[in-house]
Amino acid sequence: MSDRHEPQTQPPAAYLDRSAADWLAGLRSNDALERRLAAYALGEIGPTAKVLAQTELLAALGDAEPFVRVWAAAALARVAPESIPQALASLVDATGAEVYWIRSLAAWQLGRLGPATPGIDAALPPLEALRNDPDRNVRTEAEHACKRLRRNS
Amino acid sequence: MYKPIESYGVIGDMHSVALVNMDGAIDWCCLPYFDSPSIFAAILDHQKGGSFRIAATQESQHRQMYLPDSNVLVTRFLGSDGVGEVVDFMPVQPAGATKTHEIVRVARAIRGHIRFRLECRPAFDFARRPHRVLLDGRGAIFDSGPQKFALISRFPLHCLGDGVAVDFVLHPGESATFILRQIEDVHARGLLETRLQGEEALHETLQFWRNWLKGCRYQGRWREMVYRSALLLKLLTFQPTGAIVASPTCSLPETIGGERKWDYRYSWIRDAAFTVYAFLRLGFTSEAAAFMSWLEERARQGGAHGPLQVMYGIDGRRELPEVELPHLEGYRGSRPVRIGNAAAEQFQLDIYGELIDTIHLYNKAGSPISYDLWKHLRQMADWVVGHWEKDDDGIWETRGGQQAFVYSKVQCWVALDRVLKIAQERSFPINAERLARERDRIYETIMQRGYHAERASFVQHFGSEAVDAANLIMPLVQFVAPADPRMLGTLERTLEELVSDSLVHRYAIGRGACDGLTGTEGTFNMCTFWLVEALARAGRLDEARFLFEKMLTYANHLGLYGEELGPLGETLGNFPQAFTHIGLIRAAIKLDANLGSEK
């Protein structure tokens, strides 16, 4: 079973009735929650936002807020598949975050990328390590992610 | 757009409930309690009322089911590209625990990649109180001042007007958990992660309902329907006090656009007594014990018209002022929406019979009653002796003036009869001779003035010629033998004049008592089940069984009933309704017993 192309239906050209350009402006907001939402929205719009958003999403991998970096990485992997290596590296890096919910978020996003994502095997060792994380939520997300990524292996 | 009343399922935590439509929308919920102001009331005003929808965006067929033996609801979206589900429940916490009221919603992709949309637009206090939306790292907070709720979501939420929305795709086998939780403070540190919390809450909630249902003694032919009815009745009990609400909704109309619509989110002595009776018949005694404690408190307080009031708030309060909400258009334009209930002020004699009959059963099948409760019963009996001859507003709570309703007199007879029986069974001190004399006087009066010889039928009230379906209760409470010619005649008149395609009207509007209201109404489900039981008791078993099976076809897809049915089989009135499910349980037990063990 292919897990690569997510929805069978055509990805939307806009997200919640706002265009990619509108959302891109949010990626430059001073509000970290707005940047997170913008990254997510661009990811939902998908490859049609690539020309507009790839560079800014790549830049967002260096955002000051760790959770914005995670959401930007997840979006980048959907918007621009050729940037998956950078997205993966950013997510793997987040599995070592100090704050538990960033580790949990990173584990979840890695699992959501799916087993067909090129280079995803590199995520398995850090995810395995998170299965022994001191936090139960992190362990649970890591468990789910490992299960999902090993599905086709 | 308004959806059929019967297209809803119900979840709850024995403090309140939420109605979940087959399209994934919660269109009714009052929090934290049944009779609190609403947070979602789209069922009463689809534009202003507020709702919380999670649904697959693909074109799909909708299905709903409960996880077995539970009040955990699954709404399914079946599309050509895949299958998605939303699992809804309200976690149940042990009595006495610090209660956080929550609605947990778990979206799942079962087959294919499923795109869902979540839209949450609360409208506080029946859409009378504005609120602000604050987005934070865990989701969103809806702050109306006195009430605050957090919607916890891993997916980032986007503000849309005074609500929030998010689109998300779930991969096959993947789930996402959303929790709507009452909070005290917008700055309070709270839950960030929902998956583990949701999984544990689901496990505990399922365990709770399944363990509870294990106590059910019914093993007859209609187990699935009886179990669902029992689960619903349990859902309508208010855990902190033992009170039982008649229905968790208000102002759903008895005819579309009609005047007849009331707030049922309170505890009627009559409905609660019937519910406890049904619980006891199924083998559940702790609910009965909790209700008895609640009742003793009410008896201590007294009422304006007698030892008890007709109904109370679930916390025991006596004032339930009825007000109209003109800013809401009502279900399908059925104005006015009413909250509160003026019938609380009514004088209804029958409540003592229904109550003491249930206590009689509790004393035998539950636990022997205390002396203090006995003293209250004796006081009630004395009061009935002094008041049974008065006119009252009757079981149907008519608003057209008081009458000498036969049903009320029968229940006065039941009250005295059962008090005498309890006294005899427990050797409680009582002036039995006086009570027995009065009981017999009631009996003879009903037989002389409540029976119309030419019509060969008991009638609605003294001096009337009209029949009333309430009189179907007579053989059920052993007032009259099921095959007594007077009862058989009443059955015939009821079948002729009140029954339409096996469904029973309470009374013929325009004949008999003026109910003080305009318009018509549907057939009354509980009366249909009473007819089944009356027929079964009269030995007309085939007829009773056919009618019962036919009535089962009017349940919704989950086995739930409202108060009434319209001509197209549509549900009318408040939903779901305890009365109907009590009638179903009683009729199923009686039919089973009379049909014997052969299945």
Side-chain angles (χ1 to χ4, degrees):
Chain A
M1 183 180 72
S2 166
D3 210 16
R4 182 71 187 277
H5 302 289
E6 296 167 344
Q8 302 293 308
T9 49
Q10 194 68 17
Y15 175 69
L16 294 177
D17 298 328
R18 286 177 64 183
S19 68
D22 276 355
W23 287 112
L24 196 62
L27 209 52
R28 300 169 199 136
S29 167
N30 290 328
D31 180 351
L33 290 173
E34 190 63 28
R35 298 199 298 279
R36 176 187 70 154
L37 176 60
Y40 175 72
L42 290 165
E44 286 299 295
I45 292 170
T48 53
K50 180 179 160 184
V51 174
L52 205 62
Q54 184 178 15
T55 308
E56 298 226 26
L57 283 171
L58 275 164
L61 298 183
D63 194 283
E65 283 291 345
F67 68 90
V68 176
R69 295 200 293 270
V70 173
W71 284 100
L76 184 63
R78 299 182 71 176
V79 168
E82 66 273 26
S83 296
I84 283 175
Q86 292 96 314
L88 268 177
S90 185
L91 289 173
V92 167
D93 185 53
T95 61
E98 267 185 46
V99 180
Y100 83 91
W101 57 268
I102 299 290
R103 299 195 299 277
S104 165
L105 185 64
W108 179 61
Q109 294 287 16
L110 282 167
R112 281 177 60 77
L113 288 179
T117 301
I120 195 70
D121 287 353
L124 283 169
L127 283 173
E128 284 291 347
L130 288 186
R131 291 169 74 179
N132 297 313
D133 194 276
D135 185 87
R136 288 175 69 217
N137 294 289
V138 178
R139 293 199 298 273
T140 303
E141 290 301 342
E143 192 71 43
H144 277 274
C146 287
K147 196 171 158 191
R148 178 162 161 70
L149 295 182
R150 290 225 160 91
R151 194 174 290 167
N152 289 355
S153 63
Chain B
M1 196 182 91
Y2 292 98
K3 306 150 195 173
I5 294 171
E6 64 270 21
S7 64
Y8 288 90
V10 60
I11 56 171
D13 63 357
M14 295 180 296
H15 288 73
S16 190
V17 305
L19 294 192
V20 187
N21 194 266
M22 287 180 80
D23 70 359
I26 294 177
D27 289 335
W28 177 252
C29 184
C30 299
L31 285 173
Y33 307 129
F34 292 106
D35 56 358
S36 300
S38 67
I39 171 170
F40 303 119
I43 200 165
L44 294 179
D45 191 311
H46 67 131
Q47 288 180 318
K48 296 183 198 150
S51 70
F52 178 11
R53 184 169 188 224
I54 303 178
T57 58
Q58 64 178 347
E59 195 175 318
S60 53
Q61 295 285 318
H62 302 165
R63 296 282 188 277
Q64 262 183 341
M65 60 179 281
Y66 282 107
L67 292 183
D69 298 343
S70 81
N71 280 313
V72 176
L73 186 65
V74 184
T75 302
R76 313 194 71 222
F77 304 90
L78 315 176
S80 52
D81 291 337
V83 175
E85 290 180 351
V86 177
V87 178
D88 286 311
F89 61 98
M90 294 173 73
V92 177
Q93 292 182 7
T98 306
K99 184 70 189 165
T100 304
H101 300 282
E102 290 180 348
I103 298 174
V104 181
R105 314 199 69 182
V106 184
R108 292 172 174 167
I110 304 301
R111 177 170 63 76
H113 302 270
I114 305 295
R115 179 174 288 276
F116 288 89
R117 172 165 292 188
L118 174 156
E119 282 186 30
C120 183
R121 298 170 187 271
F124 289 83
D125 190 13
F126 301 100
R128 288 184 293 191
R129 185 181 287 277
H131 64 271
R132 59 185 179 135
V133 184
L134 306 166
L135 294 181
D136 72 1
R138 63 194 149 171
I141 291 170
F142 306 105
D143 179 8
S144 76
Q147 273 198 313
K148 299 166 186 64
F149 288 90
L151 174 58
I152 303 150
S153 163
R154 175 147 256 174
F155 291 104
L157 301 172
H158 174 50
C159 270
L160 272 184
D162 52 5
V164 296
V166 61
D167 277 8
F168 56 96
V169 174
L170 295 180
H171 310 295
E174 194 183 11
S175 66
T177 302
F178 304 89
I179 298 178
L180 184 74
R181 166 184 276 195
Q182 188 180 20
I183 56 171
E184 297 298 323
D185 179 357
V186 293
H187 302 297
R189 289 176 67 82
L191 190 65
L192 277 166
E193 304 273 338
T194 56
R195 186 201 292 274
L196 204 52
Q197 174 96 3
E199 283 174 0
E200 287 175 353
L202 176 59
H203 176 74
E204 286 165 12
T205 304
L206 279 172
Q207 284 288 106
F208 171 83
W209 290 114
R210 287 171 181 172
N211 281 339
W212 181 78
L213 197 60
K214 279 180 190 164
C216 187
R217 283 202 312 242
Y218 180 83
Q219 297 293 323
R221 292 166 175 79
W222 297 284
R223 200 163 64 170
E224 201 169 324
M225 289 300 285
V226 170
Y227 277 16
R228 177 52 49 204
S229 296
L231 283 163
L232 173 70
L233 294 182
K234 181 67 173 170
L235 212 49
L236 299 183
T237 59
F238 184 54
Q239 191 185 55
T241 64
I244 298 165
V245 297
S247 173
T249 60
C250 69
S251 278
L252 291 179
E254 295 168 19
T255 45
I256 301 304
E259 188 184 3
R260 299 154 197 270
K261 48 192 173 299
W262 318 106
D263 190 347
Y264 280 8
R265 301 172 300 148
Y266 306 116
S267 191
W268 270 254
I269 292 293
R270 174 190 308 113
D271 299 45
F274 280 149
T275 305
V276 171
Y277 192 94
F279 275 138
L280 287 168
R281 296 294 305 271
L282 294 175
F284 296 108
T285 53
S286 63
E287 289 72 17
F291 177 73
M292 293 302 156
S293 301
W294 181 83
L295 178 72
E296 260 193 84
E297 282 298 312
R298 305 292 78 74
R300 236 190 302 277
Q301 289 173 342
H305 300 300
L308 290 173
Q309 192 166 287
V310 172
M311 74 179 90
Y312 296 89
I314 51 177
D315 57 355
R317 72 186 185 283
R318 295 192 289 183
E319 292 77 29
L320 305 170
E322 186 173 294
V323 293
E324 295 184 356
L325 303 178
H327 65 289
L328 297 179
E329 71 168 17
Y331 179 75
R332 294 194 169 158
S334 301
R335 290 178 193 272
V337 168
R338 295 187 182 98
I339 55 172
N341 202 311
E345 307 292 321
Q346 286 194 350
F347 177 58
Q348 297 174 16
L349 283 164
D350 61 294
I351 59 174
Y352 300 99
E354 291 133 358
L355 178 67
I356 299 173
D357 194 24
T358 295
I359 295 173
H360 176 236
L361 180 62
Y362 176 69
N363 184 62
K364 284 200 295 190
S367 179
I369 62 167
S370 66
Y371 174 64
D372 287 331
L373 181 54
W374 166 251
K375 285 197 295 184
H376 288 304
L377 293 191
R378 200 169 54 185
Q379 184 197 2
M380 287 178 205
D382 286 341
W383 185 89
V384 169
V385 166
H387 293 81
W388 72 267
E389 289 176 284
K390 288 181 182 283
D391 292 354
D392 75 338
D393 295 297
I395 180 177
W396 306 132
E397 303 183 341
T398 55
R399 296 188 178 197
Q402 297 181 344
Q403 293 286 355
F405 287 104
V406 171
Y407 177 88
S408 299
K409 307 304 178 205
V410 169
Q411 289 293 358
C412 287
W413 176 87
V414 171
L416 300 188
D417 182 69
R418 301 312 191 260
V419 162
L420 284 164
K421 285 191 163 82
I422 295 170
Q424 190 175 22
E425 285 157 12
R426 293 286 307 281
S427 302
F428 278 130
I430 195 167
N431 186 343
E433 196 181 324
R434 173 172 164 265
L435 283 194
R437 193 169 55 240
E438 205 63 20
R439 177 196 63 187
D440 297 346
R441 211 161 72 79
I442 298 173
Y443 197 93
E444 293 295 0
T445 305
I446 294 169
M447 287 302 183
Q448 286 164 23
R449 300 181 62 196
Y451 181 76
H452 195 291
E454 285 170 31
R455 304 208 72 217
S457 174
F458 290 104
V459 292
Q460 185 179 57
H461 58 82
F462 295 172
S464 165
E465 291 190 0
V467 289
D468 188 318
N471 291 334
L472 291 169
I473 199 123
M474 288 181 173
L476 280 58
V477 295
Q478 289 90 45
F479 175 80
V480 65
D484 185 297
R486 290 186 178 217
M487 193 61 219
L488 293 178
T490 303
L491 260 178
E492 285 312 314
R493 290 296 85 70
T494 303
L495 286 163
E496 283 168 15
E497 297 178 22
L498 298 182
V499 176
S500 167
D501 186 25
S502 306
L503 305 175
V504 182
H505 289 277
R506 290 190 281 191
Y507 46 85
I509 291 172
R511 293 185 72 167
C514 165
D515 64 9
L517 300 163
T518 57
T520 59
E521 65 172 16
T523 53
F524 202 82
N525 293 331
M526 185 180 68
C527 292
T528 303
F529 285 120
W530 280 359
L531 176 62
V532 170
E533 195 174 342
L535 287 168
R537 285 174 185 265
R540 294 161 67 167
L541 271 180
D542 288 344
E543 209 176 331
R545 185 173 185 175
F546 177 64
L547 201 149
F548 183 74
E549 298 276 7
K550 209 170 183 182
M551 188 58 189
L552 295 186
T553 69
Y554 289 100
N556 82 348
H557 54 289
L558 297 165
L560 299 175
Y561 292 91
E563 184 175 34
E564 299 187 6
L565 290 168
L568 304 176
E570 73 276 23
T571 292
L572 295 170
N574 285 313
F575 176 88
Q577 216 216 13
F579 245 12
T580 306
H581 288 272
I582 295 160
L584 185 151
I585 290 168
R586 285 190 61 133
I589 291 172
K590 189 55 170 169
L591 261 182
D592 260 320
N594 288 17
L595 286 165
S597 57
E598 187 186 325
K599 293 186 184 174

